[in-house]
């Protein structure tokens, strides 16, 4: 992938209407029974930018991410990915829910890295990386294999191509999961607390890979507790609490000089 | 090298200069072996010195054509009942796990019925079906018929037995497969879904291979049950293994030797099934932590060599 300079948060924000946002979330609400997890989220990520979503457990960060690739159906609000409305087709002034097959098709523009890795347990590392290209995108097996090996090499795991997930450490599994996510050349990479299930000494190897990806100009939406990663790598930081975005903006400003008491309380606890 | 229990196997001083570890003697093991040997001796004495047992009859009838024909029918019933039951069970599972409340209710009811009606009742019901439904016809419901058959011509003894066994097995297989599907980690399904797989691909590529592995032991239990339950067909006069030995001992009154003949053949089939099961489990165990450890060991040995 071509090397693109890191976009910095403020100076590269396009004037409205010039560059189409890669991810645009407006008024997103999600209710589980009586429990209102998301209460009107507005969030925009420009192409090539890294957005980190921070916040205490139960603030709705993961649910927000899972709405973007439709693992959860939003209760209200709209999500656009690269200009395409997610989950609905508008016709005759009404929104019609897409069929499961159409939703599956839409999901192909994103890829997700899970907290618990979720590598397919019955397949080797290489087969995991090849799975989506071959069986979802119809890439010829030989080419997928070649690209899969290159991706494993890129995350430093080519010697482990034939290992099963159960034979790999957590950090190695998560790096395979990142290679698997890259294999489909997604327009947006979604990270759902990618280092939360890792032993402390394995966190850095995963963060290093993610930092590289950010430098290469991938659009990333990252739910994380790694404040240092957010400060160093993110273009924009969103701080969530109680199902709303409390504060957002340049990481230096949000993390070093938060303007809200809830942000300050959270940062005091994690730092 | 540490032994299985973790105790070091040094007989001399250990490398660190500590006293050698004395192996623990399990005295009770000698007692167990003695008891087992005495029981085996008693059994051998009973079998070898008992003239009433009449072992020559056992050998005489072991490969008797009637017995072998009966065995053939027993195997046919088991295979047909399992295949029919598995196909129906798979359909019931798919319906049970579908998002349609109607299909779920139909499946729930069918599984309930299949598991509630005793096998014997089902067998006799299908055998005597002609008395309430003399002709079976296919056509548009309440409309014209296209083809129709004499019920007794379609459902003979073997037909009734296969239908009854299939319907009996279907409910159990549906539950076995449902438990297999539900045991697959939710994260596996989410990962496949997030890749953009259609629900059918998720099932085919991820859920089924992992569920199949877990379903093998209970499925084999089911096969072995069907093998033995199939002997109820003697009540409709179908000449399976049990029917044949019964027919023979009702003439020569050598019940026990002939029951041993039946036991031998049932036992042999179970041995074959057990071998098939362990091979299948080995085949499908890729990625299991235990299999992974085994593979790791092989890799290590390869690099050591």
């Amino acid at each position: 992938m071509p090397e693109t300079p890191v976009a910095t948060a403020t100076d590269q924000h396009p004037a409205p209407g010039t560059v189409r946002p890669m991810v645009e979330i407006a008024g997103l609400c999600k209710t589980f029974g009586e429990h209102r997890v998301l209460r009107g989220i507005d969030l925009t990520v420009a192409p090539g930018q890294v957005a980190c979503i921070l916040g205490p457990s139960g603030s709705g960060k993961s649910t927000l991410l899972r709405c973007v690739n439709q693992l959860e159906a939003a209760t209200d609000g709209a999500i656009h990915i690269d200009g395409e409305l997610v989950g609905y087709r508008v016709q005759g002034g009404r929104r019609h829910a897409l069929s499961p097959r159409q939703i599956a098709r839409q999901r192909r523009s994103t890829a997700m890295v899970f907290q618990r890795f979720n590598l397919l347990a019955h397949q080797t590392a290489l087969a995991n990386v090849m799975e989506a290209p071959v069986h979802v995108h119809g890439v010829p097996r030989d080419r997928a294999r070649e690209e899969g090996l290159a991706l494993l090499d890129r995350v430093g795991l080519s010697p482990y191509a034939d290992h099963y997930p159960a034979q790999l450490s957590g950090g190695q599994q998560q790096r395979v999961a990142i290679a698997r996510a890259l294999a489909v050349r997604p327009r947006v990479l979604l990270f759902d607390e990618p280092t939360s299930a890792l032993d402390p000494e394995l966190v850095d190897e995963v963060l290093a890979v993610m930092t590289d990806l950010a430098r290469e100009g991938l659009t990333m939406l990252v739910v994380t507790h790694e404040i240092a990663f957010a400060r160093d790598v993110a273009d924009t930081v969103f701080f969530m609490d109680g199902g709303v975005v409390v504060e957002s903006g340049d990481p230096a400003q949000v993390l070093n000089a938060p303007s809200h008491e809830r942000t300050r309380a959270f940062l005091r606890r994690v730092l | 090298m540490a032994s299985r229990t973790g105790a070091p196997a040094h007989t001399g001083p250990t490398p660190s200069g500590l006293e050698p570890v004395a192996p623990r003697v399990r005295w009770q093991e000698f007692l167990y072996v003695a008891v087992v040997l005495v029981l085996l001796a008693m059994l051998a004495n009973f079998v070898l010195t008992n003239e009433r047992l009449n072992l020559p009859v056992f050998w005489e009838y072991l490969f008797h054509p009637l017995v072998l024909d009966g065995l053939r029918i027993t195997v046919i019933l088991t295979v047909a009942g399992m295949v029919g039951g598995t196909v129906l069970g798979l359909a019931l599972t798919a319906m049970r796990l579908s998002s349609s409340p109607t299909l779920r209710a139909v499946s729930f009811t069918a599984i309930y019925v299949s598991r509630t009606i005793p096998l014997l009742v089902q067998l006799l019901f299908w055998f005597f079906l002609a008395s309430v439904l003399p002709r079976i016809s296919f056509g548009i419901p309440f409309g014209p018929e296209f083809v129709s058959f004499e019920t007794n011509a379609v459902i003979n003894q073997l037909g009734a037995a296969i239908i009854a066994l299939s319907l009996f097995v279907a409910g159990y297989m549906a539950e076995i497969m449902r438990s297999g599907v539900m045991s697959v980690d939710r994260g596996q399904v989410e990962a496949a879904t997030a890749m953009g797989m259609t629900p059918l691909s998720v099932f085919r590529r991820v859920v089924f291979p992992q569920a199949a592995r877990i379903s093998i032991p209970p499925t084999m239990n089911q096969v072995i049950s069907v093998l033995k339950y199939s002997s109820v067909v003697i009540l409709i006069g179908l000449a399976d293994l049990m029917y044949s030995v019964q027919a023979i001992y009702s003439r020569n009154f050598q019940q026990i030797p002939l029951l041993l003949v039946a036991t031998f053949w049932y036992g042999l089939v179970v041995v074959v099934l057990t071998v098939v099961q362990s091979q299948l489990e080995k085949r499908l165990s890729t990625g299991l932590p235990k299999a992974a450890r085994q593979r790791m060991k092989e890799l290590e040995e390869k690099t050591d060599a």
Side-chain angles (χ1 to χ4, degrees), chain B residues 233-292:
Chain B
V233 299
I234 59 176
L235 275 146
I236 58 169
L238 184 56
D240 77 331
L241 182 55
M242 266 315 286
Y243 182 97
S244 303
V245 300
Q246 216 182 18
I248 296 168
Y249 74 60
S250 65
R251 275 182 272 121
N252 66 7
F253 301 106
Q254 298 290 334
Q255 290 90 345
I256 299 291
L258 280 150
L259 288 175
L260 288 179
V261 168
T263 307
F264 172 85
W265 287 114
Y266 282 123
L268 190 73
V269 175
V270 171
V271 166
V272 171
L273 288 172
T274 308
V275 172
V276 170
Q277 174 179 0
S278 68
Q279 288 302 315
L280 264 178
E281 282 181 19
K282 239 180 249 167
R283 264 253 175 110
L284 291 174
S285 67
T286 49
L288 269 180
K290 200 174 136 205

Side-chain angles (χ1 to χ4, degrees), chain B residues 137-149:
Chain B
S137 52
F138 294 93
I140 295 166
F142 307 108
E145 292 175 7
F146 301 136
V147 277
S148 84
F149 306 95

Side-chain angles (χ1 to χ4, degrees), chain B residues 204-223:
Chain B
R204 215 168 44 81
R205 298 284 313 160
V206 179
V207 176
F208 185 76
Q210 298 194 20
R213 185 182 74 199
I214 288 163
S215 304
I216 290 171
T219 301
M220 272 302 165
N221 272 350
Q222 191 63 45
V223 179

Side-chain angles (χ1 to χ4, degrees), chain A residues 47-98:
Chain A
Q49 295 224 315
V50 177
C52 280
I53 304 173
L54 307 173
S57 318
S59 59
K61 313 180 295 285
S62 289
T63 305
L64 169 64
L65 208 62
R66 292 163 62 84
C67 284
V68 172
N69 69 351
Q70 304 181 68
L71 286 180
E72 305 286 355
T75 314
D76 194 12
I79 300 171
H80 286 82
I81 294 179
D82 207 6
E84 188 185 359
L85 177 64
V86 156
Y88 296 96
R89 176 174 50 87
V90 180
Q91 196 176 24
R94 280 154 61 107
R95 291 185 300 165
H96 300 267
L98 296 179

Side-chain angles (χ1 to χ4, degrees), chain B residues 288-302:
Chain B
L288 269 180
K290 200 174 136 205
R293 280 201 297 276
Q294 180 60 35
R295 236 184 94 78
M296 198 86 105
K297 224 162 84 186
E298 286 165 16
L299 285 175
E300 273 167 20
E301 279 160 14
K302 234 188 275 171

